Amino acid sequence: QRVTWPSRTHRRAMAAAAAGDCSAAEVAAFRSALSPEALAGFYLVGDLQGARDAAARALARDLGAARCSALTSKVKPRVQQEYCLWRTRQSRGARAVPDRPSSSEVGPQHVLDLWFGPQPDAWRNSLWFLGVDPDAPERGDGGLVEPLRTMYLPLIESCRGGLSGSPLEEWTGTIQGRVALVVVLDQFPRLVVPGTPDMLMCAGLAQEVAKEVLSDQGEELPWAHRLFCYLALMHAEDLELVSEGALNILRLTESFDSRDSYRGLSAHLRDTWLVAQEHLSLLRRFGRYPHYNLSLGRESTEAEATWLRSKKLPFWAARSTFVGSSSQAGAKKQAEQKPLVLPSGVKHNRLHILVLHGMKMNGKSFEKKARNFFGPLRDLAELVFIDGPRPYVAAGETGPAGIGVRCWYDSTDDSGSMQYVGLGDTLGYMERVCAESGPFDGVLGFSQGGCLAAIMAALQKSTLKFRFCVIISAPYCRDSKRLELHLKEAPVDHIEGCVRPRVEPLEMPSFHVWGSTDTQIEPWRSELLSRVFKDPVVHTHTAGHWAPSNWPAKELAVWLRDTIGLPSDDATVGASLEIDERLRKLSLTAKLVRGQGGVEVVVPSDIEQALEICRTDQELLLKLLNLVLGRLRSTPGTSFPEVAYIIVAALLEEVTDLEEHRRQLHHLQEVWGWRAFTQLDAALQNSDAKPGVSGDLCEALRSAIVDIFAQQLEQDAEAAASWMRVAPAEAQQSLTHLLAWRVDGMAEGLARPSECAREAPRFGGALYKATYLALRVASRMHEVRTGKALERPRDQQPELRKMYGAVLHDIITICDAFDEDKALAAGLVGSSVRHLYANGNGLSAVGAEAIAAVGGSFLHTLSLGDNRLNDDGTVAVAKHCGGVVRLALAASGISDVGARSLADLIRASRVLRWLDLGISKSTAALGEVPNRLGDLGAEFLAEALGGPGDVQAPLNALVLVHNSITAPGVRALQAAAQRSKTLVKLELDYLDARGQELAREEIRAALTRNLRTLEAAGDAGELRARREALDPEHLEEIKSVYRVGNAYSPGGQ
């Protein structure tokens, strides 16, 4: 069908129809935003997303944000249609851009026009990083290399000794000329002479020009001009310059992140920043770029040579290590390498399946990330994961591109004449894989790997043959040279409704999976691919592109079993699948129990689901209870959780013997402590609201709790009385003398009271429920002592309260004599100890205060981590640590309240240099309580670090890992790091969260600046004090087991 370019009237009508009920001005704005003149630059490179973004920005500029939001949804289909019309016009002979000038016309403007194009917001990935000629994309990778070599290589060579006397010297007269000079000197050699000494002949000169450009008018330049100045800095073998370039790229990325119309551009920039991070990591590791060794004539060390031989060598390094006229040579070299196969060999009683990862992955990462999906398949099949033969080049997708990521082919930008560059080499690579590790029964592919699987299914060569295929979230083949593999004919355009599948479907059995909300591969493309096969088995889910938890592993296993003819009642496979499903559900429950939000996030239905799995297994129920109570440790003060109550009830629902109740409850006390009884009793008082739990069971449990408390307190009261009968009068009057008497061994042989009295319920507590439990316990103790039961205990509450309080006081007095932390405090008096590490010793708040009160004035190091100090103990410790240089309170149950007291300590102390409020490796093993500082606590600490008008705190290091600090707290700490002149170390795990990259890099830059400033000052005393705070000399002998340093430390040590 002939398509003609629409007239102005026709276009006006189309715009009005697309925009709906619009005014004349709005119709004109819509028409202007979609005009070929406005979007030709994007059409030229096939960047339709950029065209849509540009049209949306034009509408927002002309009509305002409010009206623009109503029209933006109509932009996408109209841009697609306008692009088709534009391409049709181009094919009939009209050119959208002028011919390339001859060598005599070369100049700064030609460089800017060629490199950045007519549209300032277009991302020209194919040109910039693959050398694709925008005027002739059909020539593929490196199509622009020869024209650039002819026109610019002589000019570049003229600058070997500097700009003086070179024809390019006159370019430095304008800012545009200097930007063009950066591109010519830094980027062009990487395209035309990669891997040769000439590649870096003017790199240093380009970096000098780039620094001048950025210092003069950096913020006023278009983003693309700034980007290539930053990239020039990134190519230096100078850690400071590379860090500056990477940070500026991230700042540029964040400047677009908040604007929806720039989301595509932001994704491209974020990928570029990730590449910059790879450069930084490499420079920190080797001190130089190993891939420059060939160009600079340097010998590679053994470690560098190993890295250069790695199959996961990044693309940007690979293209600098081979000599060729285009990147096609490097891709071909990669494709000819021996395939990496994991694992090898066939087990004859299982299927042999080849697994193909998606773009921006490799075999190992795909296997690891989707391990839960592959688990049920391993009993049926031997899964062989291989790496794609081509290094992935960032093309702007939203996901990050890491080190070692691969792909199967590269796609050109023009959707009408799209080509899969390198697909032929990849098919040859696959034939070698099949020859060396096959034959394979089937192939499973995800995304781009799924498309490759479908291509191989259509080819079915003798050397590339499979019995079935599994395709997940993959599109049909759009390679203009191979459309007949999947399509009936070449469509006018690849939009829904215009594409038809092949007439004769493929006979191969196929299993297809895709998400209905997939934004990377439109669902209709995956659906059309399924129609390429005869009788496809289709499973859809509601998630997006990457959703392994939604992929139907169990259904796929059943399908595979049926496809290969195994008996449907295969006992081994069925039992394995059932066990995997059971463990998966239990794992989900455990994950909820251990979740960030504590036990409060678990609802009864979650526990009921777990109980259905393990109700008949008492051991499994006990493990589940331990998980719940273990998680409760991280939220002290929380009432006994509903989930724990339900599990206890499930454990005891079939028990009728009171002694059995007590035995089970003693297990609860051993796991959690005496406080659990008080909390459980409070939960049991609400038994009427708990369906399916009998009132008799609740009353039996409550009676058992009262009996256990009363019995233990009576035993402890007798032990305390035995102490008092033999202790001298002096010891009875003073805890210090009593402690000394016990430590001297004078009380040897006397029984030690339990800790029950410390956590027993109290009268007049915050909760009436606890008071009522105390009354019942006191009443039972009275009954034991007198042999008479009280009919109305409430009437005698004053007497019972007095008796009960006296018993608790006597018991706790003797318990204090066994308090090892108080003994430790007494031993510190007059000692020469300077560094005290008392981590994980069960110290209480009282004991910690005693230690700080004695040693806080002379101890250099005080480490009390992994002790349950909580906020009370933290406040008490902070009051006495004015002379401590290194204070470590990791995993001590500290919240924002304790953080406030520590902030006061930071302000008051003139010697505190190290403050650790994070977590240690032993915290989980000891079952201790992590700190839980939130954003408010972070703000307290940030304010204490001081500002321009305040006295600067001398603090050098602040450790805050494994807390509950989020974005607001990070912003406060970032501002504090930038204000501070002494802080050189800040550990904060939330900085690893997506979206916090800029904050992390800004903090890292501020810490690095402070470190260099301190070193440049040359104050020997200050340097020695800082070094002793960060890397104490007394720890030299135990560094192998003591956690020191962090990724956020300057230098990454």
Side-chain angles (χ1 to χ4, degrees):
Q1 180 180 358
R2 183 178 180 183
V3 181
T4 58
W5 186 253
S7 65
R8 180 178 296 274
T9 303
H10 186 197
R11 289 178 53 211
R12 183 182 295 112
M14 288 193 300
D21 186 14
C22 303
S23 66
E26 290 173 339
V27 170
F30 198 87
R31 185 173 65 248
S32 174
L34 294 174
S35 67
E37 295 80 7
L39 303 179
F42 296 100
Y43 293 162
L44 183 63
V45 294
D47 185 4
L48 297 191
Q49 183 59 52
R52 296 179 193 118
D53 293 345
R57 289 193 296 274
L59 287 176
R61 181 188 65 241
D62 296 339
L63 302 180
R67 182 55 179 156
C68 173
S69 61
L71 298 175
T72 300
S73 62
K74 305 178 185 300
V75 168
K76 181 176 180 179
R78 292 298 306 138
V79 166
Q80 185 76 44
Q81 296 172 25
E82 292 288 340
Y83 172 62
C84 293
L85 295 172
W86 176 87
R87 198 180 64 212
T88 301
R89 185 186 182 198
Q90 291 295 103
S91 65
R92 296 177 63 188
R95 293 188 58 86
V97 294
D99 292 332
R100 180 175 291 115
S102 63
S103 299
S104 60
E105 297 173 302
V106 165
Q109 193 57 48
H110 170 246
V111 173
L112 299 180
D113 291 343
L114 170 68
W115 201 247
F116 300 111
Q119 278 294 338
D121 296 324
W123 181 271
R124 317 188 84 195
N125 186 81
S126 298
L127 167 63
W128 293 341
F129 304 115
L130 296 175
V132 175
D133 190 341
D135 288 347
E138 67 278 0
R139 294 169 58 187
D141 293 5
L144 193 63
V145 169
E146 195 56 41
L148 287 181
R149 178 184 288 114
T150 302
M151 289 186 287
Y152 287 101
L153 187 56
L155 295 176
I156 298 171
E157 291 175 339
S158 70
C159 298
R160 285 181 183 273
L163 286 174
S164 179
S166 167
L168 298 181
E169 182 179 10
E170 61 185 29
W171 290 21
T172 60
T174 63
I175 191 68
Q176 291 80 8
R178 281 181 282 173
V179 171
L181 198 56
V182 171
V183 172
V184 169
L185 298 180
D186 183 67
Q187 292 294 321
F188 284 6
R190 295 173 184 275
L191 287 175
V192 301
V193 285
T196 69
D198 290 342
M199 184 184 77
L200 301 174
M201 59 182 164
C202 296
L205 184 57
Q207 291 151 19
E208 293 299 323
V209 176
K211 287 190 287 186
E212 292 177 7
V213 169
L214 294 174
S215 62
D216 290 348
Q217 302 181 33
E219 295 303 318
E220 300 175 8
L221 291 173
W223 67 266
H225 295 194
R226 280 182 281 157
L227 173 64
F228 279 92
C229 289
Y230 301 150
L231 291 178
L233 299 183
M234 201 174 74
H235 293 151
E237 289 186 320
D238 183 314
L239 189 60
E240 185 174 354
L241 276 182
V242 176
S243 300
E244 179 185 349
L247 180 57
N248 282 320
I249 291 173
L250 182 57
R251 287 170 177 163
L252 186 61
T253 303
E254 295 291 331
S255 69
F256 288 107
D257 266 358
S258 60
R259 290 175 279 178
D260 290 342
S261 56
Y262 284 94
R263 60 187 179 277
L265 178 57
S266 175
H268 287 289
L269 289 170
R270 187 166 296 278
D271 281 339
T272 305
W273 172 72
L274 290 171
V275 172
Q277 291 299 105
E278 294 174 7
H279 279 71
L280 270 174
S281 176
L282 189 65
L283 204 54
R284 291 191 180 109
R285 178 181 174 185
F286 295 112
R288 63 183 187 177
Y289 291 140
H291 55 289
Y292 281 5
N293 291 349
L294 180 62
S295 297
L296 298 177
R298 300 187 304 212
E299 289 292 331
S300 296
T301 65
E302 183 176 351
E304 290 175 339
T306 301
W307 182 80
L308 289 169
R309 287 193 300 267
S310 170
K311 294 182 180 180
K312 297 182 179 180
L313 191 67
F315 171 81
W316 47 265
R319 74 173 188 173
S320 299
T321 56
F322 66 86
V323 181
S325 60
S326 74
S327 59
Q328 287 177 327
K332 185 174 182 180
K333 180 180 177 181
Q334 291 284 345
E336 291 173 352
Q337 291 180 354
K338 185 177 180 180
L340 175 64
V341 179
L342 298 172
S344 61
V346 184
K347 295 189 177 180
H348 297 291
N349 61 336
R350 293 191 289 176
L351 291 172
H352 199 209
I353 300 179
L354 179 63
V355 183
L356 309 179
H357 60 77
M359 190 165 61
K360 296 198 301 183
M361 290 182 171
N362 56 52
K364 184 176 292 186
S365 67
F366 186 40
E367 180 181 17
K368 180 178 179 180
K369 292 177 181 178
R371 57 186 176 274
N372 291 337
F373 167 71
F374 290 121
L377 305 180
R378 294 188 184 278
D379 292 304
L380 289 167
E382 183 80 14
L383 303 177
V384 178
F385 297 81
I386 65 172
D387 289 350
R390 296 175 66 84
Y392 170 74
V393 183
E397 292 83 349
T398 56
I403 296 177
V405 294
R406 318 290 290 179
C407 65
W408 303 101
Y409 50 81
D410 295 308
S411 303
T412 57
D413 295 326
D414 188 352
S415 62
S417 59
M418 180 179 291
Q419 295 183 20
Y420 288 175
V421 179
L423 179 57
D425 293 332
T426 295
L427 292 173
Y429 169 83
M430 298 306 299
E431 290 181 4
R432 292 196 301 278
V433 170
C434 292
E436 296 175 11
S437 302
F440 294 99
D441 295 295
V443 58
L444 183 154
F446 165 68
S447 192
Q448 191 187 68
C451 182
L452 177 61
I455 291 174
M456 292 190 295
L459 290 173
Q460 281 295 284
K461 299 180 179 180
S462 58
T463 56
L464 205 62
K465 198 167 186 176
F466 307 97
R467 294 169 53 195
F468 63 86
C469 66
V470 180
I471 300 173
I472 303 174
S473 301
Y476 60 88
C477 176
R478 295 178 61 185
D479 186 348
S480 58
K481 297 180 180 179
R482 297 178 175 88
L483 290 176
E484 71 281 355
L485 294 177
H486 292 163
L487 303 184
K488 177 181 179 182
E489 58 189 1
V492 176
D493 199 3
H494 290 271
I495 59 177
E496 189 171 7
C498 294
V499 187
R500 299 287 184 270
R502 58 186 288 167
V503 177
E504 297 182 2
L506 300 176
E507 296 288 339
M508 179 182 293
S510 61
F511 189 98
H512 301 260
V513 181
W514 67 81
S516 58
T517 58
D518 192 335
T519 57
Q520 295 189 39
I521 304 296
E522 296 172 283
W524 72 265
R525 300 184 189 275
S526 299
E527 189 271 337
L528 188 139
L529 178 59
S530 70
R531 291 160 52 196
V532 171
F533 293 82
K534 183 179 180 180
D535 300 327
V537 177
V538 173
H539 285 267
T540 61
H541 53 82
T542 58
H545 188 64
W546 172 256
S549 60
N550 294 86
W551 297 347
K554 186 174 181 180
E555 291 81 356
L556 175 57
V558 173
W559 179 81
L560 287 173
R561 200 165 59 237
D562 295 341
T563 299
I564 63 174
L566 288 179
S568 59
D569 58 348
D570 189 315
T572 303
V573 174
S576 175
L577 293 175
E578 182 180 350
I579 291 171
D580 285 341
E581 184 70 10
R582 178 184 180 197
L583 293 177
R584 185 183 70 83
K585 289 184 178 179
L586 186 58
S587 176
L588 289 175
T589 303
K591 182 179 180 181
L592 284 170
V593 173
R594 297 193 302 267
Q596 179 90 17
V599 294
E600 295 84 353
V601 301
V602 181
V603 297
S605 61
D606 297 323
I607 305 307
E608 290 170 5
Q609 181 188 32
L611 293 180
E612 289 177 4
I613 301 173
C614 55
R615 187 179 294 276
T616 59
D617 189 337
Q618 288 280 307
E619 183 180 355
L620 204 55
L621 276 172
L622 286 174
K623 290 180 180 179
L624 190 58
L625 176 60
N626 288 343
L627 283 173
V628 175
L629 296 176
R631 179 56 188 162
L632 185 61
R633 292 168 182 256
S634 65
T635 53
T638 304
S639 62
F640 196 82
E642 194 79 4
V643 54
Y645 165 79
I646 295 173
I647 296 174
V648 171
L651 283 167
L652 303 177
E653 63 181 351
E654 302 297 332
V655 177
T656 56
D657 181 31
L658 183 60
E659 288 303 317
E660 181 63 15
H661 284 165
R662 291 176 178 173
R663 189 184 70 81
Q664 296 280 17
L665 290 174
H666 273 300
H667 171 77
L668 173 65
Q669 182 270 323
E670 292 170 1
V671 173
W672 177 233
W674 292 98
R675 182 182 300 178
F677 285 162
T678 305
Q679 297 171 334
L680 178 57
D681 183 79
L684 289 169
Q685 292 187 46
N686 292 330
S687 61
D688 294 341
K690 300 175 179 28
V693 181
S694 67
D696 292 340
L697 174 60
C698 291
E699 185 55 38
L701 289 174
R702 296 184 68 193
S703 297
I705 290 172
V706 171
D707 289 343
I708 292 172
F709 264 130
Q711 181 180 359
Q712 187 64 53
L713 289 175
E714 283 295 337
Q715 293 177 4
D716 292 342
E718 178 59 30
S722 300
W723 270 71
M724 290 303 180
R725 282 194 294 270
V726 299
E730 182 182 44
Q732 294 184 32
Q733 299 299 321
S734 167
L735 176 60
T736 303
H737 289 92
L738 184 62
L739 177 64
W741 182 66
R742 200 273 298 174
V743 171
D744 290 341
M746 301 302 296
E748 185 175 355
L750 295 179
R752 172 178 176 173
S754 73
E755 296 294 315
C756 178
R758 294 191 189 276
E759 298 185 358
R762 299 295 199 271
F763 282 91
L767 296 175
Y768 175 75
K769 297 174 184 177
T771 300
Y772 183 56
L773 178 59
L775 179 62
R776 294 185 67 186
V777 173
S779 177
R780 186 66 56 86
M781 292 176 66
H782 179 273
E783 181 181 348
V784 171
R785 293 184 175 197
T786 62
K788 297 180 181 180
L790 297 175
E791 295 182 1
R792 298 177 60 86
R794 288 182 184 278
D795 294 342
Q796 299 186 39
Q797 181 169 330
E799 293 82 359
L800 292 173
R801 180 173 184 170
K802 183 176 181 181
M803 178 272 294
Y804 186 70
V807 170
L808 296 184
H809 176 270
D810 291 344
I811 297 173
I812 291 174
T813 299
I814 303 305
C815 287
D816 286 343
F818 279 93
D819 198 330
E820 299 297 341
D821 25 350
K822 289 181 177 172
L824 180 58
L828 281 174
V829 176
S831 75
S832 60
V833 172
R834 291 295 175 267
H835 308 284
L836 176 61
Y837 292 83
N839 300 332
N841 280 279
L843 303 182
S844 66
V846 175
E849 180 180 13
I851 293 173
V854 174
S857 59
F858 64 85
L859 285 174
H860 181 279
T861 302
L862 178 58
S863 185
L864 302 175
D866 290 321
N867 292 299
R868 208 163 300 180
L869 307 186
N870 299 326
D871 288 330
D872 293 341
T874 304
V875 172
V877 167
K879 291 179 181 178
H880 302 290
C881 288
V884 175
V885 177
R886 290 172 51 88
L887 178 60
L889 300 175
S892 298
I894 304 172
S895 72
D896 294 340
V897 176
R900 187 166 195 167
S901 65
L902 292 171
D904 293 336
L905 172 63
I906 293 174
R907 291 190 186 93
S909 175
R910 292 294 90 202
V911 296
L912 183 64
R913 290 179 175 271
W914 172 285
L915 180 58
D916 185 353
L917 302 178
I919 196 169
S920 71
K921 292 182 178 179
S922 59
T923 299
L926 294 172
E928 284 302 335
V929 182
N931 292 331
R932 55 192 188 282
L933 275 69
D935 294 330
L936 183 60
E939 291 172 3
F940 288 149
L941 297 173
E943 292 173 3
L945 290 175
D950 302 324
V951 177
Q952 286 278 328
L955 195 70
N956 294 134
L958 179 60
V959 181
L960 294 171
V961 294
H962 208 282
N963 280 280
S964 300
I965 300 171
T966 60
V970 169
R971 287 195 293 270
L973 291 169
Q974 176 185 338
Q978 291 172 331
R979 293 196 310 266
S980 173
K981 298 178 181 177
T982 60
L983 193 67
V984 296
K985 182 184 183 73
L986 176 61
E987 297 187 15
L988 188 62
D989 47 5
Y990 187 76
L991 292 174
D992 285 330
R994 185 165 179 82
Q996 297 302 312
E997 295 89 351
L998 181 59
R1000 179 178 69 234
E1001 297 306 315
E1002 293 284 11
I1003 289 174
R1004 178 177 285 160
L1007 301 182
T1008 303
R1009 178 207 65 205
N1010 291 343
L1011 180 63
R1012 289 173 178 155
T1013 302
L1014 291 173
E1015 291 176 347
D1019 187 334
E1022 173 62 25
L1023 290 175
R1024 186 167 52 253
R1026 176 184 57 78
R1027 184 169 54 252
E1028 180 63 19
L1030 296 179
D1031 194 11
E1033 186 176 352
H1034 68 272
L1035 292 180
E1036 285 295 326
E1037 295 181 1
I1038 58 173
K1039 271 189 175 180
S1040 60
V1041 295
Y1042 188 78
R1043 181 175 63 90
V1044 293
N1046 180 269
Y1048 302 124
S1049 301
Q1053 299 299 318

